[in-house]
Amino acid sequence: MSQDTISVRDIARQLPGVVRRAPAIAKGLYYYSIKNDQKELTLGTLIEHNAEKYGTRPAVLYDDRRLTYTEFNAWANRIAHYLRAAGLTRGDSIAIFLENRPELLAMVAGAAKIGVACAMLNTSQKGKVLAHSINLISPRMIVVGEELVDTFEGVREEVALGHDHPYLFMPDTDSLKDFGTTPQGYINLAEQVSAYRGDNLTVKDRPKLGDTAVYIYTSGTTGLPKAAPGSHRKFIKAYGGFGLMTLNMGPQDVLYCTLPLYHATALLVCWGSVLSGGSAIAVRRKFSASAFWDDIRRYGATTFGYVGELCRYLLNQPASPNDRNHTLTKMIGNGLRPSIWKPFKERFGIETVAELYASSEGNIGFSNFFNMENTVGFSTAPYALVKYHEGTRDPIRNAKGRMEKVKSGEPGLLLGEITAKWSFEGYTQKEATEKSILRDVFKKGDAWFNTGDVLKEIGCRHLQFVDRMGDTFRWKGENVSTTEVENIIDESGLAEEAIVYGVEIPGTNGKAGMVTLVPQDSSVESFDIDRLFRYLQDNLPPYAIPVFVRVTSAIEKTGTFKYKKVDLKKAGYSVDRPGERVYAWLPRDKGYTLVDEALVKRIDGGEVPF
C-alpha cells in the first residue's frame, strides 16, 4: 500500500484480523446501532454492569492508587446520593473544574447516575474565557479542585450558579482518605460524600440514552468557546464502535491516558473504550515524554490515547534499547501525521493505530477499523466532500444554488448529513447550532453539518485529514479560535487592530498562533511587547497565546474592508517586510524575543524545539 492510496487488496490483507475480532465486532455493532433514546442505557449503567461482572478488576489507576470496579462504582454512588440530597435532579447540570485524576471520573459517573450533566471546564482557561464557559451552562453547582481554586477565585464573582451552596471543594489528595483543608466559602465535597452509602441508587426518574451526560467545550470557528452537549449515546457509540469493534478491549487491557479529560477524545473515546472491555484506565495529570514509557511499563498498559503532537514528542526523544521493552500494542486518537506514522509504529513496535476523526458537537465520525496507514478510516454515516472557497470553511454553490462533490482524491469540505438516525446535537446556543447547518445542499429540504474540515478520499471510502479551515487552527493538540484571541487582544487597550491566524513551523504538528497588530498609542518601535505578553498570560491558556507577534503601522485590506489574511499567512514570521517588527515566544522563555534573520533560519531549520 502506498502512503496515499488504499486498495481492495490492502483491505483483504487485514481480513484475518477482522475475523479474529468477529465476536467483539458483533457485540460492538449492537451497541453502536442502538436508536431508542428512551432506553435506560447510560454511562451509569455501564459502570454498574462492570462492577457486577469485573468487580475485583482495576477500573482506575493513578500514581499508586488502584480502584477496582466495585470500589469505583461505590464511590460514584456516594457522589450520586450526595447530589440528590442536595436537591439535584435529572436535567440539572454541574460544572467540573478538576485536572486529570480519579475524582474527575468519579464525579462524572456519579452525576450520570441521577441524570445530572457535567460541564467539563478546560483547566487552562482563566479570566473572561472561564467565566463565559461557566455561564454558558448556568450550572447549579461547581466542583473546584484544590489545584484550581486560585484560578476560580479570579472569576467567582462573575459567574451565576443556581444553588444556595454551589461551591464544592475537592482536595488535591487521595480524597477517599484525606479531606484536606477547606477554603472559606466552599463545602468539602470529599468529606460530605464519605457519609453516604455506596449501594446502587433506586431512581424514579431514570436517565435515558438520549439525555445529556456531559458538555464538552469547543473553540468552534468564531468567538468565545461554545458548549456542545454530549449524550449518553456518545459514550455508548464509543463503547461499541471504538472499544469493541476497533480495539477489541478486554479485562486484561489498560489504556494509558494523559490527554485532558475535559476533551472528548479522552473522556468519551478513551474512557468509553475502556468501559467496553471491563478494562482499566491509567490516568496521568499531564503528559511527560520522559516519563511516558516508564509509566507504560509501570501500569502494564496495552493501549494509549494520543494526539499527533504527543507522538511527535515521543519520536523526538533519543533512541533507546528500551524503545520496544513495553506492553503497548495499540493506540487510539487523532492527528498522527503521515510523515511520522510508519516511523512511530516501527520504532516502538505498535501493531494497531486506531486513528479516528470526530468532533465534540458533530454527527459524524470515522474510525480506522481495518488498521490501514495514514487514514482516519471510514464511516457508516452519510457524508460528502464538497468544493469550498480556499481559506474559508464556506462551500461553493453552483448556478443552481447547489453544492458539488469533489472528485475522488481531491480535498473537499466534509459534510455530515443530518437525519433521524444521524442527528446533530449541536451547541447550547441555538444561533451557533444553526450556523453549523447547511441546507438545500444537494436537493431542496436536506440538511448537513458543516465540519469545517478538509479531507480527501484515498480509496475504499477511507479518508485522510488534510486541513482545518476557517477561523480555527490546532496547536499543541488544542483547537484555537482566532476570533476568541482577537477579542481578548482588543480588550487589552494595546492594539488598534489585531488579526490572529495560524502559521506552519517546520517539524511541528498543527499551526502556531500568530497575531499581526497595529499599536494603539505607540509606534512600532516603542510598542510594549512585554506588557502584551503579561496580559496574554493573564487572559489566555498557554496554547492560545500567539507564538509570533508582528507589529506594523497598518494592516492591508481589500476593497470591501476585509483583511488580506492570506497574505499575512504567507509572510509568516519572516522579517523582510520594512517598517515592521516580529517577535517570537521561544520554548521555556518568559517573554517574547525580537526575531532576526538568524533566528528565522534556526526556526526554519528545526533547531528551535517548539
Side-chain angles (χ1 to χ4, degrees):
M1 181 183 70
S2 69
Q3 178 167 302
D4 292 311
T5 59
I6 291 174
S7 68
V8 174
R9 183 177 294 178
D10 297 321
I11 298 290
R13 291 194 189 105
Q14 302 300 321
L15 288 180
V18 174
V19 171
R20 286 194 296 271
R21 305 200 315 266
I25 292 171
K27 183 180 177 183
L29 192 60
Y30 164 77
Y31 284 102
Y32 186 79
S33 303
I34 292 173
K35 301 176 184 177
N36 183 6
D37 277 353
Q38 295 306 305
K39 191 175 181 65
E40 293 178 357
L41 178 61
T42 64
L43 173 62
T45 62
L46 295 182
I47 291 166
E48 289 174 9
H49 166 77
N50 282 1
E52 184 177 336
K53 189 173 182 180
Y54 307 108
T56 60
R57 298 289 305 176
V60 182
L61 304 171
Y62 177 78
D63 287 341
D64 295 326
R65 297 169 66 181
R66 180 186 183 276
L67 288 162
T68 66
Y69 270 104
T70 296
E71 292 166 337
F72 182 77
N73 183 55
W75 189 9
N77 286 335
R78 289 195 291 273
I79 290 170
H81 280 296
Y82 170 78
L83 293 176
R84 186 167 66 177
L88 273 66
T89 59
R90 179 185 174 201
D92 285 339
S93 63
I94 59 174
I96 306 294
F97 201 37
L98 294 166
E99 291 186 347
N100 277 22
R101 49 193 179 103
E103 284 75 10
L104 182 149
L105 296 174
M107 284 305 310
V108 176
K113 290 191 175 224
I114 60 169
V116 171
C118 291
M120 309 305 297
L121 296 171
N122 184 323
T123 56
S124 297
Q125 289 181 352
K126 59 184 77 170
K128 298 180 180 67
V129 178
L130 176 60
H132 165 85
S133 295
I134 297 171
N135 289 331
L136 261 184
I137 302 299
S138 300
R140 294 200 61 194
M141 308 174 93
I142 183 169
V143 181
V144 182
E146 183 177 357
E147 68 276 18
L148 293 165
V149 167
D150 289 344
T151 302
F152 177 69
E153 282 297 305
V155 301
R156 182 172 163 178
E157 300 303 318
E158 301 171 38
V159 300
L161 301 172
H163 197 276
D164 291 339
H165 304 287
Y167 308 118
L168 306 178
F169 168 75
M170 186 66 79
D172 193 8
T173 59
D174 180 349
S175 63
L176 289 171
K177 301 175 181 177
D178 183 357
F179 304 147
T181 303
T182 312
Q184 187 174 358
Y186 290 81
I187 291 173
N188 191 312
L189 182 59
E191 185 176 3
Q192 293 293 318
V193 163
S194 68
Y196 289 86
R197 294 175 57 183
D199 54 320
N200 290 336
L201 287 77
T202 300
V203 182
K204 291 182 180 179
D205 189 13
R206 294 178 64 83
K208 306 294 193 295
L209 180 69
D211 291 354
T212 299
V214 293
Y215 291 96
I216 303 290
Y217 291 87
T218 173
S219 294
T221 56
T222 58
L224 290 162
K226 296 188 280 289
S231 65
H232 291 277
R233 185 196 305 107
K234 289 203 171 186
F235 275 103
I236 301 301
K237 280 189 175 294
Y239 180 98
F242 298 125
L244 293 173
M245 296 173 67
T246 303
L247 292 173
N248 191 20
M249 298 292 280
Q252 76 288 347
D253 281 309
V254 176
L255 188 150
Y256 179 63
C257 183
T258 66
L259 301 175
L261 287 164
Y262 55 74
H263 267 192
T265 302
L267 190 66
L268 295 170
V269 175
C270 290
W271 195 27
S273 296
V274 162
L275 294 173
S276 74
S279 315
I281 185 168
V283 178
R284 185 181 174 92
R285 189 71 65 101
K286 292 180 180 177
F287 171 73
S288 167
S290 60
F292 182 88
W293 294 110
D294 286 340
D295 273 359
I296 294 295
R297 287 183 281 268
R298 173 187 184 185
Y299 296 120
T302 59
T303 316
F304 84 102
Y306 72 89
V307 292
E309 191 80 357
L310 188 155
C311 298
R312 184 175 66 84
Y313 291 147
L314 293 173
L315 203 56
N316 286 344
Q317 292 289 298
S320 162
N322 268 336
D323 280 346
R324 287 197 171 205
N325 178 25
H326 57 75
T327 50
L328 209 61
T329 60
K330 47 195 175 183
M331 51 196 269
I332 186 166
N334 52 64
L336 186 61
R337 293 173 58 174
S339 61
I340 68 169
W341 190 301
K342 193 171 183 179
F344 189 88
K345 284 185 69 176
E346 290 182 349
R347 175 174 165 182
F348 299 115
I350 308 298
E351 298 169 10
T352 300
V353 177
E355 176 86 359
L356 62 93
Y357 170 86
S359 60
S360 303
E361 73 281 17
N363 70 331
I364 187 167
F366 289 75
S367 178
N368 192 10
F369 176 80
F370 289 104
N371 194 26
M372 298 286 102
E373 290 190 3
N374 307 321
T375 176
V376 299
F378 72 99
S379 178
T380 57
Y383 69 90
L385 296 174
V386 300
K387 297 177 180 179
Y388 62 95
H389 293 283
E390 192 70 38
T392 76
R393 71 197 300 264
D394 300 326
I396 294 172
R397 291 186 183 263
N398 60 24
K400 296 181 180 179
R402 302 292 187 243
M403 297 176 199
E404 297 180 359
K405 297 180 181 180
V406 298
K407 296 178 182 177
S408 182
E410 290 183 354
L413 180 67
L414 176 65
L415 310 181
E417 188 174 12
I418 301 171
T419 67
K421 181 178 179 181
W422 303 99
S423 60
F424 175 50
E425 294 183 5
Y427 306 99
T428 55
Q429 300 155 292
K430 290 183 179 179
E431 182 181 350
T433 299
E434 190 58 35
K435 281 184 178 180
S436 294
I437 299 175
L438 298 172
R439 302 186 185 279
D440 303 327
V441 172
F442 300 113
K443 61 184 179 182
K444 187 173 178 59
D446 65 359
W448 297 70
F449 165 59
N450 182 1
T451 68
D453 291 327
V454 173
L455 293 90
K456 66 179 180 181
E457 185 175 330
I458 59 174
C460 298
R461 288 181 59 85
H462 279 62
L463 300 191
Q464 187 178 84
F465 188 85
V466 177
D467 201 4
R468 190 171 302 278
M469 303 305 295
D471 295 318
T472 302
F473 59 89
R474 196 165 179 83
W475 181 242
K476 301 298 183 185
E478 300 274 358
N479 290 339
V480 181
S481 165
T482 60
T483 308
E484 175 186 334
V485 180
E486 286 167 359
N487 289 343
I488 292 295
I489 294 175
D490 286 345
E491 293 177 4
S492 70
L494 296 171
E496 184 178 309
E497 294 178 275
I499 302 299
V500 176
Y501 45 95
V503 296
E504 292 187 358
I505 302 175
T508 64
N509 282 349
K511 294 181 179 179
M514 184 166 187
V515 58
T516 292
L517 62 82
V518 177
Q520 180 80 30
D521 297 310
S522 68
S523 65
V524 171
E525 293 75 19
S526 61
F527 179 73
D528 192 345
I529 191 69
D530 294 331
R531 183 180 169 194
L532 174 67
F533 184 77
R534 291 193 298 271
Y535 173 82
L536 294 174
Q537 277 197 312
D538 288 340
N539 289 279
L540 287 172
Y543 63 81
I545 296 175
V547 176
F548 298 103
V549 178
R550 182 181 293 278
V551 184
T552 184
S553 57
I555 302 176
E556 190 177 6
K557 304 176 185 68
T558 67
T560 53
F561 303 100
K562 293 181 180 178
Y563 291 106
K564 293 188 175 181
K565 190 176 282 192
V566 172
D567 292 345
L568 294 174
K569 289 180 179 179
K570 286 181 179 178
Y573 46 83
S574 64
V575 293
D576 53 7
R577 291 162 56 119
E580 299 181 347
R581 287 192 174 188
V582 177
Y583 298 88
W585 181 22
L586 302 177
R588 292 179 290 278
D589 279 6
K590 296 181 179 179
Y592 285 112
T593 298
L594 185 65
V595 177
D596 56 19
E597 289 185 0
L599 182 53
V600 170
K601 288 181 180 178
R602 286 181 58 215
I603 294 172
D604 286 345
E607 297 176 24
V608 181
F610 285 98

